[in-house]
Amino acid sequence: MSTSPTTATARAGAPPTPAVVARAIGVTRHYGDTVALDNVDFTVREGEFIGLLGPNGAGKTTLLNSLLGLRKPTSGRIELFGGSPTNPASRRFIGVTPQESGVPPTLRVAEAVDFVAAHFKETEDRDELLERFDLTKEARRQAGGLSGGQKRRLALALAFVGRPRLVILDEPTTGLDVESRRMLWDRIREFHEGGGTVLLTTHYLEEIEALAKRVVVIAQGRIRADDSVGAIRGMAHMQRVSMNAGPLPDLPGVISEERTEERVELMTHDADQLVRALVRQGVEFSGLAVQQATLEEAFLVISQS
Amino acid sequence: MSSLTLVHARYQLVELSRIPMAIIGAAFFPAASLFFFVVPNTKDDPAGATLATASMVVFAAMISNLFGHGTGVAEDRSQPWDPYTRTLPIGPAVRFGSRIITGLAMMLFSMFPVVIVAAFFTPATISPVRFLLAIGVVIIVSVPFTMMGLAIGYLLSTKAAIATVQLVFLPLAFAGGLLGGPGEAPGFIETIAPFVPTRGSAELMWATVGDYDINPVAIVSLVVWTVALAALAFYAYQRDEGRRYH
């Protein structure tokens, strides 16, 4: 598009501030008594790659759906390419993936791509796009007959059909095998390297580490952290040390302690140090287990402390 | 009309055509009603058979639109594809327009069996000009049913929509005096019929295919119903945010 604000160095010298492509201003959204988003301010600039992290029910999907115009904020305002997301013209430059890879089961793969392409001025070449997502052989098949991985690849491919400037991806690789996941990562990375802006949610810290530049952590409807990948990695790197034991003495580096009958679960940033302290202090324990905490667990602990 | 509206309508029809039962189901009921209610009673009465066939055509228009839009829209809204298409750069005109085109196509298709049963098993007759006119009239008189179907589909979940449609379609047909020709319904039905949305549609069809004097009350109430249902459908569309849970 010739009208697109460019991030190129128009004037040499001063670093240009990339254009805002999407923005939430004081957005609150209620579902009945539940507060899904609580006065959220959030800005996405052209060329960014943002990972949105948070436990289930934190408000990630509500935030994405608000940016897309699918949910109206209870209060506050959303801007998408300078306009309201409920105005179709504001949605010309975005690419989205259907949730649950839900392309109508009777549609053929090529038909689904053609259908989406009909809505955009500039589009990717269908055969080339299917080739990139390894779906060439499936072009004539109905979406209902695809494997889980193929459905997911088709769903993601649809986000790129209309040559978007911003793609918004809600858990694009959940439930995929490692190989498919890496392939989709490559496609998303290529898009970003070509100047595209990416906003994605995920449960996987490794996905964020592999792709994103900026991480936004959301929990209980609020933005809890907004920082570089490195800084967030330190916060979220957490281990769960569990054992059968009686009452515990003071131990170093324990972030939280939870007990169910005999079993104690401790969250810590440094399991080695914690286990050494247990032994040194002569604590009676059995059935010791050390596990990498999931991101959900880490963020639940962070948001509660 | 934008070409995108036609694209959407074409894809909806492609999807439906790949689930043949959806089409057969819509076409079966009116033809069966005609066969069991009209055929045995109008053996020697061409005028009566023609009017009764017109009633069944209106009945078919109502069933096709209530089920097609009511349960069809509710079902589509429960699928992830629906919120996805809402992120595409199109407005309500394309979404509403394509649904109406698809509904009309399905409705006209569902009338084939009715017309065929009427032609071969009853003495009903109609001139070619009146037949073409009737096609135009049935499209117009189906508008309130389209709007009612869309309103149900956008307001309710799939299960609630199916139950609602099943609950309303027979009483609407009965109270409007659709289960026969004009004047054949019981007395109290003839009293309330002009105020029922199906009646005005039926009267316009009767006047198109036969010798019938329209009751103006029924036409006024048809217009009022149509406007009210269109407003309800548009309101329902606007407040819809797809599935409620998240």
Side-chain angles (χ1 to χ4, degrees):
Chain A
M1 298 301 299
S2 56
T3 55
S4 63
T6 103
T7 62
T9 45
R11 266 163 278 140
T17 307
V20 171
V21 294
R23 179 166 20 212
I25 304 157
V27 167
T28 296
R29 168 74 204 213
H30 298 269
Y31 295 103
D33 291 338
T34 324
V35 181
L37 291 176
D38 187 0
N39 196 20
V40 167
D41 291 299
F42 177 60
T43 301
V44 182
R45 291 182 181 276
E46 188 110 55
E48 281 196 297
F49 198 132
I50 304 176
L52 201 54
L53 277 175
N56 282 329
K60 299 189 300 276
T61 301
T62 303
L63 178 57
L64 293 195
N65 285 342
S66 304
L67 293 174
L68 294 169
L70 292 173
R71 295 268 182 262
K72 292 174 193 97
T74 311
S75 64
R77 196 155 55 89
I78 300 280
E79 281 176 12
L80 186 66
F81 290 98
S84 162
T86 54
N87 178 357
S90 308
R91 301 195 297 264
R92 278 175 303 171
F93 310 115
I94 59 169
V96 181
T97 290
Q99 285 211 325
E100 301 155 37
S101 315
V103 173
T106 57
L107 277 193
R108 299 186 197 286
V109 169
E111 287 173 339
V113 173
D114 291 343
F115 173 77
V116 175
H119 297 80
F120 296 94
K121 270 195 193 138
E122 284 183 51
T123 56
E124 295 286 330
D125 178 74
R126 185 229 287 161
D127 296 336
E128 206 178 292
L129 184 76
L130 291 180
E131 181 68 43
R132 273 199 283 145
F133 284 86
D134 195 16
L135 288 167
T136 302
K137 282 203 288 289
E138 283 71 35
R140 293 281 307 149
R141 288 183 61 192
Q142 293 186 333
L146 299 178
S147 74
Q150 290 165 339
K151 281 182 188 166
R152 190 61 66 92
R153 297 207 297 274
L154 172 60
L156 194 69
L158 294 183
F160 297 100
V161 169
R163 300 210 169 173
R165 286 164 59 193
L166 167 66
V167 294
I168 296 186
L169 308 171
D170 198 0
E171 296 181 18
T173 67
T174 300
L176 282 186
D177 59 74
V178 175
E179 200 183 328
S180 306
R181 177 177 301 161
R182 296 208 178 268
M183 192 259 241
L184 292 188
W185 284 0
D186 286 343
R187 298 293 90 80
I188 298 171
R189 209 181 274 128
E190 284 161 12
F191 170 75
H192 180 244
E193 281 162 3
T197 311
V198 182
L199 174 59
L200 68 79
T201 70
T202 180
H203 289 286
Y204 305 115
L205 188 58
E206 52 164 332
E207 185 155 293
I208 295 278
E209 290 180 321
L211 295 172
K213 304 283 186 293
R214 174 183 158 202
V215 182
V216 173
V217 178
I218 188 163
Q220 290 154 337
R222 290 182 183 213
I223 290 180
R224 304 286 168 168
D226 184 345
D227 216 321
S228 69
V229 173
I232 300 292
R233 186 197 296 131
M235 271 173 70
H237 184 78
M238 217 176 269
Q239 285 142 339
R240 183 176 56 230
V241 179
S242 54
M243 73 205 96
N244 299 321
L248 295 176
D250 262 354
L251 293 163
V254 173
I255 303 166
S256 76
E257 176 179 335
E258 244 176 74
R259 178 177 286 277
T260 44
E261 295 176 23
E262 279 293 278
R263 196 100 186 133
V264 190
E265 290 200 345
L266 305 171
M267 298 296 270
T268 177
H269 288 303
D270 189 347
D272 300 330
Q273 181 202 26
L274 178 60
V275 173
R276 274 196 296 272
L278 280 170
V279 175
R280 207 179 303 121
Q281 299 194 22
V283 177
E284 289 280 331
F285 64 81
S286 63
L288 179 78
V290 178
Q291 285 162 300
Q292 186 63 45
T294 64
L295 270 184
E296 270 87 354
E297 290 170 326
F299 289 126
L300 274 177
V301 171
I302 291 169
S303 55
Q304 279 160 7
S305 57
Chain B
M1 184 173 303
S2 90
S3 61
L4 266 179
T5 309
L6 294 176
V7 169
H8 276 242
R10 186 161 59 82
Y11 271 87
Q12 286 161 13
L13 288 169
V14 163
E15 277 188 66
L16 284 169
S17 71
R18 290 179 187 163
I19 312 170
M21 264 318 286
I23 298 172
I24 293 168
F28 172 77
F29 206 70
S33 305
L34 187 70
F35 203 80
F36 292 115
F37 297 130
V38 179
V39 171
N41 298 327
T42 55
K43 283 200 173 70
D44 312 307
D45 178 10
T50 308
L51 291 173
T53 301
S55 301
M56 284 303 148
V57 164
V58 174
F59 190 32
M62 180 180 70
I63 289 179
S64 171
N65 282 296
L66 284 188
F67 277 97
H69 291 303
T71 66
V73 170
E75 174 62 17
D76 282 354
R77 281 171 54 237
S78 73
Q79 303 296 325
W81 187 245
D82 183 74
Y84 171 73
T85 60
R86 286 182 165 232
T87 69
L88 295 170
I90 46 163
V94 170
R95 299 168 61 87
F96 249 60
S98 63
R99 290 220 178 264
I100 289 169
I101 293 171
T102 305
L104 281 178
M106 292 296 291
M107 175 184 86
L108 293 175
F109 184 81
S110 77
M111 285 168 184
F112 271 113
V114 175
V115 173
I116 288 167
V117 170
F120 288 101
F121 297 96
T122 77
T125 57
I126 189 167
S127 70
V129 175
R130 286 202 175 203
F131 184 75
L132 288 178
L133 200 60
I135 292 175
V137 171
V138 82
I139 288 172
I140 294 167
V141 302
S142 70
V143 174
F145 309 132
T146 302
M147 293 303 156
M148 190 186 290
L150 289 171
I152 290 171
Y154 280 110
L155 281 175
L156 303 175
S157 69
T158 309
K159 281 181 180 168
I162 291 172
T164 305
V165 169
Q166 284 174 339
L167 221 58
V168 298
F169 87 92
L170 261 184
L172 274 179
F174 190 62
L178 281 195
L179 300 180
E184 288 175 7
F188 76 100
I189 291 293
E190 292 294 329
T191 312
I192 61 164
F195 303 99
V196 178
T198 41
R199 181 59 171 219
S201 300
E203 301 224 350
L204 285 172
M205 281 304 288
W206 291 334
T208 307
V209 303
D211 195 14
Y212 182 78
D213 285 334
I214 290 174
N215 174 0
V217 177
I219 302 307
V220 170
S221 86
L222 175 68
V223 171
V224 171
W225 274 109
T226 303
V227 171
L229 290 166
L232 183 65
F234 196 71
Y235 160 79
Y237 175 84
Q238 293 244 302
R239 79 183 266 284
D240 172 48
E241 290 193 338
R243 289 173 292 182
R244 283 278 134 187
Y245 46 86
H246 66 114

